[in-house]
Amino acid sequence: MSENTIPSVNDLTLEEKASLTSGGDAWHLQGVEDKGIPGYMITDGPHGLRKSLASETGATDLNDSVPATCFPPAAGLASSWNPELIHQVGEAMAEECIQEKVAVILGPGVNIKRNPLGGRCFEYWSEDPYLAGHTAVGIVSGVQSKGVGTSLKHFAVNNQETDRLRISANVSQRALREIYFPAFEHIVKTAQPWTIMCAYNQINGVHASQNHWLLTEVLRDEWGFEGIVMSDWGAVHDRAAALNAGLNLEMPPSFTDDTIVYAAREGRIAPEQLDQMAQGMVDLANKSRAAMSIDGYRFDVDAHHEVARQAAIESMVLLKNDDAILPLNPAANIAVIGEFARTPRYQGGGSSHITPTKMTSFLDTLAERGVAASFAPGFTLDLNEQDPALASEAVETAKGADAVLMFLGLPEAAESEGFDRETLDIPAKQVALLEAVVAENPNVVVVLSNGSVVTVHPWANNAKGILESWLLGQAGGGALADVIFGEVSPSGKLAQSVPMDINDDPSMLNWPGEEGHVDYGEGVFVGYRYYDTYGKAVDYPFGFGLSYASFELSDVAVSKTGANTASVSVKVTNTSDVDAAETVQVYVAPGKAEVARPKHELKGFKKVFLKAGESASVTIDLDERAFAYWSERFNDWHVEAGEYAIEVGTSSRDIAATGVVVLDGDGKALPLTEWSTFGEWHSDPIGGPIVEAMRAKGETGELAKLPDNDMMTMFLNSMPINSLTTLLGEPGKAITNFLLDEYAKVAK
Ligand code: GLC
């Protein structure tokens, strides 16, 4: 096979095809070298390249990988609401993959943050599928624009760490379609990730790795996915079943290729199925060839660090800024308290752990910039009891300062891949320290470092300012200084609600499941979809984030652009003297519906950067899906006719203006039967006139006369017409038969 020939599965033996469907080792594809199919390397992700130093031998070392730029994990990137910026992060990661000869970077992870206690919430994007899909897509498009592949993961419904390898996520079709699938669906349809990684868990009792409905019928047949599906590491339990379901690649290898050969020979795997799965692996190798053939390339460490710094800046969310305490004057007498300022928590634990190319803490940055500030660690980063000496040192340091920056948050041991959190609170010793410091000096700004939201309610009143910085990656120190000292305004918006108490979250009724299953009883009411629908107070709502600037949204105009589509335009004005960015958010609020629907749902957004006094016009188009819900009755998306409110705002609870559009609906209707209620007959375009004809015959005595007082009408409307005999005996049966006979004549 010459170097330039593009091999195909037809050039391969049965044994070679089987070998392609399993890894060569934990971090390499198997390839078929003498047929021109290299065994390229694949590795993590997702917010930077983790190429374990031991990976050349296929070994794994979670803590020792080649230096790579550590970008902010997804919790931060999602808070930027800036797909273009995220695309740049993807491009930079691809360049590092090219240098390190990695063909596929394993990410992004777009599983929905069903419950903020989830151990990998730091690594996932949002509680909202629209935001998750429309931000994470930037990673896929950015990485793949350079000829490197991605692995959209973990497909699907992997929303917790507890028992993740076995548990069955029992979830309704509607919640799957409206909440847990859309981020995957959007990215597949708009960016075609080269690979998808299936999840460990079962979905309604069938492991994702051998779930034909999931991997073939939905992913390929419905959504048009063209790439390959790999397993999460160790997620395959029956290779033949997995191949038949549509899984191309088992990772890591189980060294059982012979079983696949036997299965094929015995007809347990159809030849065309094995060919399709193997061809996918050949295609992946062919797509990777160009980038993997680049030799001697070295990425620009400083340029990538700058991308990481910009991403970190836009990841931060300013939650509170009383008395405009921020930005601080760097020449002021500033006290910095909290070990995180010296030992930053800048990424999450587990398979995504990266060795950064450089690392500057906030304190390092102050020193580099010549900003004098006193410092006290205040507490240790373990979960041990507080050391009173550290506390008193911190309080002493805060005395007399113009402002106190308190770096609080979750230490590494508090959240990670592999386990879920037990509490939403930050360690009690940190809260106690904050109270002690505030008693000495009220001018406190809390800077939070955490991968998933923490409860702020217990201590928020103690702080004049709260800057949620998530996990900022390697450039977080510089980014924090830029924002805190006003070089740039914060522009992040919450991608995850901040509840007042974890027990306010509806998923807690079924968290984290029991006896091998977890019921998604809250259905589509996840995050703000629940809080806003049921009027639950939250500390900070989805989409919220302050700025050093002020903005005005005006001239909101909503127009119908088709039977079930609309467009909304809005003018955004920066009414301050500070250059900054605002994110316009559009929520669709359905009118009366046949099913229980959330009060409103995010269906569009646009981040605009405006100089002081500048204005811009934003237009957001809403397609039919923006108004649809998944009907389990139709087993399809359904748009009901009627009024829909279009809310335009700067958070889910800061709606500046609302327009209304009246849609035609998609006309879907179920055929009327004897089981259709009288009310359904009456409101149906065909059934209605037949009911009127029946009533006319009641007046002439040809049929029994139905009582038409309000009470009886209410009673009748909820009765299937085949139960009229219960009410009227034989005459009721005559009415039922009349309705069915007349309908049969018309609704052919
Ligand atoms: C892990 C993770 C997955 C990661 C893979 C390889 O178990 O679930 O996200 O890409 O194994 O490290």
Side-chain angles (χ1 to χ4, degrees):
M1 178 65 55
S2 78
E3 182 55 36
N4 300 326
T5 311
I6 300 295
S8 101
V9 74
N10 303 322
D11 309 314
L12 303 179
T13 65
L14 172 58
E15 289 72 10
E16 289 167 341
K17 292 174 190 176
S19 70
L20 287 178
T21 66
S22 183
D25 62 35
W27 307 111
H28 291 84
L29 306 177
Q30 194 157 174
V32 182
E33 291 297 343
D34 61 3
K35 296 285 178 72
I37 305 171
Y40 290 128
M41 182 173 191
I42 63 175
T43 192
D44 295 301
H47 46 263
L49 179 61
R50 180 178 70 82
K51 178 182 178 182
S52 170
L53 288 178
S55 57
E56 286 312 329
T57 62
T60 299
D61 177 339
L62 281 186
N63 291 309
D64 204 358
S65 53
V66 301
T69 307
C70 182
F71 296 95
L77 289 179
S79 306
S80 74
W81 293 57
N82 186 344
E84 293 75 25
L85 171 68
I86 295 165
H87 180 97
Q88 290 171 25
V89 170
E91 289 176 321
M93 289 201 294
E95 291 175 357
E96 302 190 22
C97 290
I98 289 169
Q99 172 179 306
E100 296 299 334
K101 299 258 182 241
V102 171
V104 176
I105 188 166
L106 305 174
V110 294
N111 295 103
I112 291 302
K113 304 188 194 202
R114 172 180 179 242
N115 182 303
L117 291 173
R120 290 180 89 168
C121 275
F122 74 90
E123 203 177 335
Y124 297 158
W125 294 73
S126 179
E127 69 189 36
D128 178 89
Y130 184 91
L131 181 65
H134 286 75
T135 46
V137 68
I139 294 291
V140 175
S141 61
V143 168
Q144 296 186 173
S145 69
K146 300 275 184 179
V148 174
T150 57
S151 193
L152 189 61
K153 66 188 186 181
H154 309 86
F155 192 51
V157 207
N158 167 212
N159 307 102
Q160 65 187 59
E161 294 306 286
T162 306
D163 203 14
R164 63 172 172 158
L165 273 75
R166 301 179 308 179
I167 202 159
S168 176
N170 296 342
V171 50
S172 72
Q173 185 65 212
R174 182 170 174 219
L176 279 172
R177 296 289 184 162
E178 291 188 30
I179 303 296
Y180 300 101
F181 281 178
F184 289 96
E185 179 182 9
H186 173 72
I187 295 172
V188 163
K189 288 181 173 177
T190 59
Q192 280 293 349
W194 288 7
T195 82
I196 281 213
M197 184 187 292
C198 83
Y200 282 122
N201 52 279
Q202 300 178 65
I203 297 152
N204 297 323
V206 180
H207 273 284
S209 61
Q210 53 196 71
N211 195 317
H212 186 270
W213 172 77
L214 185 75
L215 303 183
T216 294
E217 294 165 53
V218 172
L219 182 60
R220 291 182 165 103
D221 298 347
E222 274 190 49
W223 297 349
F225 176 58
E226 298 163 357
I228 67 104
V229 180
M230 70 172 79
S231 71
D232 198 341
W233 268 234
V236 172
H237 308 286
D238 176 335
R239 276 191 70 186
L243 273 168
N244 283 328
L247 187 110
N248 301 75
L249 175 66
E250 170 204 40
M251 288 305 286
S254 57
F255 307 106
T256 57
D257 297 348
D258 54 342
T259 64
I260 297 303
V261 171
Y262 302 146
R265 287 195 178 126
E266 292 158 10
R268 285 182 287 114
I269 299 175
E272 58 274 11
Q273 181 65 18
L274 180 57
D275 283 356
Q276 184 190 340
M277 295 299 102
Q279 183 61 50
M281 298 309 299
V282 175
D283 295 344
L284 178 60
N286 290 335
K287 283 193 278 196
S288 308
R289 207 179 290 278
M292 293 301 103
S293 304
I294 297 170
D295 292 323
Y297 174 77
R298 307 297 297 171
F299 72 87
D300 183 333
V301 171
D302 293 337
H304 288 193
H305 184 78
E306 186 50 29
V307 173
R309 191 169 70 86
Q310 185 57 30
I313 285 170
E314 293 197 40
S315 296
M316 292 180 227
V317 182
L318 182 58
L319 296 178
K320 184 178 182 184
N321 196 22
D322 289 359
D323 303 344
I325 188 168
L326 285 177
L328 297 184
N329 179 339
N333 172 4
I334 297 169
V336 176
I337 292 172
E339 185 57 55
F340 290 113
R342 176 170 60 183
T343 314
R345 173 132 186 273
Y346 59 96
Q347 63 176 326
S351 59
S352 66
H353 203 272
I354 287 163
T355 302
T357 57
K358 56 173 79 173
M359 188 69 235
T360 45
S361 69
F362 183 68
L363 285 189
D364 295 339
T365 303
L366 295 187
E368 284 171 5
R369 299 188 184 189
V371 176
S374 54
F375 170 68
F379 50 87
T380 53
L381 293 182
D382 50 37
L383 298 177
N384 300 338
E385 291 299 309
Q386 174 65 308
D387 173 350
L390 288 176
S392 44
E393 176 196 22
V395 171
E396 197 56 35
T397 302
K399 264 185 189 161
D402 296 326
V404 181
L405 291 171
M406 280 204 78
F407 282 70
L408 308 178
L410 295 179
E412 185 97 12
E415 64 177 342
S416 167
E417 176 183 347
F419 62 88
D420 295 316
R421 288 158 64 188
E422 297 293 327
T423 172
L424 213 54
D425 299 337
I426 60 175
K429 64 184 177 183
Q430 294 182 26
V431 176
L433 181 66
L434 171 62
E435 288 163 355
V437 165
V438 167
E440 196 54 55
N441 186 333
N443 297 317
V444 171
V445 173
V446 168
V447 180
L448 282 174
S449 298
N450 46 295
S452 179
V453 295
V454 294
T455 36
V456 297
H457 192 66
W459 51 263
N461 289 337
N462 286 319
K464 283 190 177 179
I466 303 175
L467 181 62
E468 174 58 83
S469 75
W470 307 112
L471 305 176
L472 287 174
Q474 68 180 50
L480 278 167
D482 290 344
V483 167
I484 288 169
F485 297 121
E487 301 287 320
V488 63
S489 169
S491 61
K493 298 283 185 178
L494 288 176
Q496 186 182 21
S497 305
V498 182
M500 297 177 83
D501 184 311
I502 185 57
N503 293 310
D504 292 343
D505 192 293
S507 62
M508 285 306 286
L509 285 173
N510 296 280
W511 176 270
E514 57 202 10
E515 296 189 333
H517 69 273
V518 53
D519 296 332
Y520 283 45
E522 73 282 356
V524 298
F525 294 95
V526 173
Y528 77 88
R529 283 175 168 78
Y530 168 74
Y531 299 127
D532 293 1
T533 304
Y534 291 91
K536 204 80 182 171
V538 294
D539 259 328
Y540 297 97
F542 174 82
F544 178 81
L546 298 175
S547 169
Y548 294 154
S550 55
F551 295 90
E552 182 188 74
L553 271 54
S554 60
D555 304 349
V556 172
V558 173
S559 55
K560 185 176 178 180
T561 52
N564 299 306
T565 58
S567 177
V568 54
S569 62
V570 56
K571 181 181 171 185
V572 191
T573 303
N574 180 341
T575 55
S576 75
D577 58 1
V578 176
D579 298 351
E582 178 59 286
T583 300
V584 174
Q585 300 161 42
V586 174
Y587 296 83
V588 169
K592 187 177 174 321
E594 283 297 310
V595 295
R597 298 191 71 176
K599 176 182 175 228
H600 58 187
E601 297 177 282
L602 179 75
K603 296 297 178 184
F605 66 87
K606 179 71 182 162
K607 185 169 192 173
V608 282
F609 292 83
L610 294 171
K611 291 193 176 309
E614 201 179 26
S615 294
S617 181
V618 170
T619 298
I620 289 172
D621 294 324
L622 300 169
D623 62 10
E624 184 152 341
R625 179 69 74 83
F627 299 96
Y629 66 86
W630 180 269
S631 163
E632 299 202 354
R633 174 178 281 174
F634 293 121
N635 193 35
D636 195 357
W637 293 100
H638 180 36
V639 176
E640 288 185 87
E643 271 195 11
Y644 292 79
I646 313 292
E647 302 171 342
V648 182
T650 54
S651 96
S652 60
R653 294 198 181 182
D654 296 289
I655 302 302
T658 300
V660 173
V661 66
V662 180
L663 301 184
D664 301 354
D666 58 18
K668 281 193 182 76
L670 281 179
L672 293 174
T673 70
E674 62 172 306
W675 281 101
S676 305
T677 64
F678 203 75
E680 286 160 354
W681 274 82
H682 197 268
S683 58
D684 181 90
I686 298 174
I690 296 174
V691 168
E692 289 315 309
M694 174 273 291
R695 284 193 185 282
K697 290 187 179 298
E699 294 301 325
T700 60
E702 291 172 80
L703 287 171
K705 190 171 182 314
L706 283 180
D708 58 3
N709 61 60
D710 290 351
M711 172 65 79
M712 278 310 295
T713 303
M714 291 290 287
F715 190 73
L716 271 171
N717 280 345
S718 63
M719 287 175 67
I721 62 166
N722 63 10
S723 58
L724 286 176
T725 44
T726 316
L727 210 62
L728 302 168
E730 275 311 305
K733 190 167 183 57
I735 290 176
T736 303
N737 292 340
F738 171 81
L739 293 172
L740 291 172
D741 294 346
E742 291 303 307
Y743 185 75
K745 293 175 193 167
V746 179
K748 283 194 176 32

